[in-house]
Structures are given as C-alpha cells and as structure tokens.
Amino acid sequence: MSAPFSWIRPEPWGVQIVPADCWIDPGRAVDRALVTHGHADHARGGHGETIATPETLAIMALRYRTGIENGEGEMPSKATPVQYGETINLPGGVKATFVPAGHVLGSAQILLEHAGERVVITGDYKRRHDPSCAPFEVVPCDVFITEATFGLPVFVHPPIEQEMAKLLGVLAANRDQCVAVGAYALGKAQRVIAELRAAGHDQPIYLHGAMEKMCRLYEEHGVDLGELRLVAEAEKDDMRGHIVVATPAALNDRWSRRLPDPITAMASGWMRVRGRARQRGVELPLIISDHADWNELTSTILEVNPTETWITHGREEALLRWCELGQRKARALAMVGREEEGE
C-alpha cells in the first residue's frame, strides 16, 4: 500500500500528478498540463495538452499565442476547456475539478481526487470581492497546497473602497493634471477599472496600448469596464482631470511624456512596503492586492481544515510556523519561478 498522498509530487518547477502523468502549472513544456490561471509564472505555451477554464485558455491564446500555428506551420497544442464546478477524469483514476480562486479572470483552484484522498492546489488566490472575476470558494480537503505571497503578519490589505477613495480624492484635487496608475496588464488593470466604476467614476479612462487587448477580452467575458480610450489617440489636454492606466514600466519611460503633468500612482499589495514605493518614484501608493493577505491566508486554512497544509511561492516560513503553533501539520515546498507579476 502506497504512502498517503504519494501520488501528488511537488517538484521545483511544478506539481506532478503521478498516476495521471500530468502536471499543475509546470514551468516547462509537458505532454499534459492543468493550468490554474494565465499569469506567466503559472502558464506557458508548448504543452501537448492544456487543461484550464475557457477564460484562462483565451488569455493564454492572447498572451502566449497558444492554439496558433507558428511560422513553420506547427500545429497548435490541444486546449481542453473545463468550466467551474465541472469534474473531469484524468488517467490513472484521478478526478480533477476546477473551482474559482478569485485571483484574476478564469483563475481556478484545482481539486484532485484519487484513492479516497482529496488535494486542493490553490494557484494564486484572494478572498476580497472583485467585480472582474468569480469569487474564491472554500473546498474542504485532506491536503491544501496554498500560496503565501503575502505570508507575513505585517501584510493586512486595507479595504478596496479606501484605496479608490484615495485615488478619486487626488484626482478631484488636481483637475489640471492626470493620475497615471501603474497596474499589471492582466488582472490588476481590469480590477482597478472595474472598482473605479463600482465607486461611481463614470468618466473615460485612458489606457496604455499594451492594456487594450486584455481589457477587450475581459469585456468579451462579461466584465463591464465602461468607456476606455487609448492614450495614443488622445491629445495631451484631453487627459487633464482623468485617470490613465498604464504598465508599471511605462510610468518611468519616455511614453509618460505624452501625459499632462501626471501624478504617479501604483496599484500593488507591495505598496504596503514604503521602500518599494520610494524606489519606484510613486507619489500615490495604492495598496490593492490580488492575493490573500496574512489574515486571509490563516483564516482560509482554518475554514478548509486540511489534514496537511503545503505552502509554496511566497513567505513560507511565517505561515509554516503559524501552522506548527496551531498543531497543524504543514510543510514548505521549494518551488521556483513564482514571480510577482500578478502584483
């Protein structure tokens, strides 16, 4: 008889489902990959078969040209869409169910069931309401493999309404300027825009060109972002008194010269760290995260109530110690290549 949970094998570049001969979020091309969401540290092209939600597959096709023939005529990999709540049968008697993770559009936790054991791999997740994606769902399991991006007690994210009020207050006080918000092109940009709309901001929002296709993809999947205009098609004076959403790199690039005396903002959970804001030259730090904070990480473990908690890609040590103090069996996984793109 095999040891408990021996069929799930964490490796530095992904999690292997041994009897199914497939991987979760592998960092290299494999024959069959289950992908939690579309950020580059979890998704990539080149797999023989990619299994993910329809939204994630659409994001991957846009960002990594999966499903598109290359210049040499090579056929695209197979894309298998799985809806939230749908269970599929993998080889080796393994069942997989995709459940909302609340991170970005299409993001999913993956519940794996085999030999009477249940394992949940969260990918990246958050617990706050987000009008741009489906909310996180708690799934009881035996092994809970959780991220720990903000796995330190100092990281407690403020209410999103507070950060939106801060942004709109600065805009109202500086009508002859614009506020340029740095936000990653997948997930953060669309959330900032959707939250501004929820806060009652109905004015046009201007976009860096790199944002346009992803914003349109979100709209195609039912996320209302209101009126969006491209900076490249606007006169400088048109943008006075408006919000501009751009890639973080563009804020310190020649591109920003197109903007009318911009006030530089940055939307990220890392804006809690003042040194990071100063380093980036950010005038208006907006603490807006698409990951669970310390309180949400610990409360989620309590709600899921697993037999074991496996902790990965983040500040594993503090969360591991918290589990040990609570007499919860836990281990840290040595995963590599998990970056901060989603923040």
Side-chain angles (χ1 to χ4, degrees), residues 11-14 25 27 41 312-313 333-339:
E11 299 286 352
W13 53 277
D25 291 352
D41 57 336
T312 184
H313 61 282
L333 306 182
M335 307 289 285
V336 297
R338 301 306 187 200
E339 306 298 336

Side-chain angles (χ1 to χ4, degrees), residues 144-159:
F144 187 57
I145 304 180
T146 178
E147 64 134 315
T149 302
F150 290 106
L152 289 172
V154 68
F155 290 114
V156 177
H157 306 322

Side-chain angles (χ1 to χ4, degrees), residues 81-292:
V82 182
Q83 300 288 345
Y84 287 137
E86 180 182 354
T87 299
I88 60 170
N89 293 312
L90 299 172
V94 179
K95 293 183 177 181
T97 306
F98 283 63
V99 182
H103 179 56
V104 298
L105 181 71
S107 62
Q109 306 169 79
I110 300 176
L111 166 64
L112 302 171
E113 298 175 277
H114 177 68
E117 297 172 343
R118 291 163 59 91
V119 175
V120 167
I121 300 171
T122 66
D124 292 336
Y125 69 98
K126 71 172 176 289
R127 301 300 304 269
R128 307 292 175 95
H129 172 72
D130 179 347
S132 68
C133 67
F136 179 94
E137 294 181 12
V138 173
V139 181
C141 58
D142 302 303
V143 172
F144 187 57
I145 304 180
T146 178
E147 64 134 315
T149 302
F150 290 106
L152 289 172
V154 68
F155 290 114
V156 177
H157 306 322
I160 186 71
E161 295 81 6
Q162 173 182 311
E163 302 306 285
M164 290 294 104
K166 186 192 306 181
L167 172 55
L168 292 173
V170 169
L171 181 69
N174 297 274
R175 302 303 299 180
D176 289 335
Q177 300 174 255
C178 72
V179 179
V181 181
Y184 286 103
L186 167 56
K188 188 60 62 66
Q190 296 77 27
R191 185 186 180 197
V192 167
I193 295 169
E195 294 286 4
L196 282 166
R197 299 311 188 196
H201 183 70
D202 59 2
Q203 296 299 305
I205 293 174
Y206 289 84
L207 296 179
H208 185 284
M211 303 286 188
E212 183 185 21
K213 289 184 178 179
M214 190 60 68
C215 285
R216 299 308 177 197
L217 186 150
Y218 265 64
E219 291 177 323
E220 291 168 4
H221 286 85
V223 180
D224 183 7
L225 299 178
E227 184 180 355
L228 303 176
R229 298 178 183 176
L230 289 177
V231 169
E233 297 175 358
E235 298 293 331
K236 181 176 286 191
D237 285 343
D238 294 340
M239 293 180 280
R240 295 191 186 276
H242 289 282
I243 292 172
V244 177
V245 180
T247 61
L251 298 183
N252 298 314
D253 187 70
R254 291 179 59 187
W255 176 88
S256 64
R257 298 177 187 175
R258 305 170 184 230
L259 308 179
D261 194 15
I263 298 167
T264 303
M266 180 72 185
S268 170
W270 297 112
M271 289 298 99
R272 171 69 73 185
V273 182
R274 293 179 181 178
R276 291 212 182 194
R278 287 194 299 267
Q279 185 180 25
R280 289 177 173 265
V282 174
E283 300 168 88
L284 179 61
L286 300 171
I287 306 169
I288 301 173
S289 176
D290 288 328
H291 295 262

Side-chain angles (χ1 to χ4, degrees), residues 59-71:
I59 289 167
M60 292 178 67
L62 176 61
R63 299 190 101 199
Y64 318 118
R65 298 183 66 80
T66 57
I68 300 174
E69 292 186 17
N70 66 22

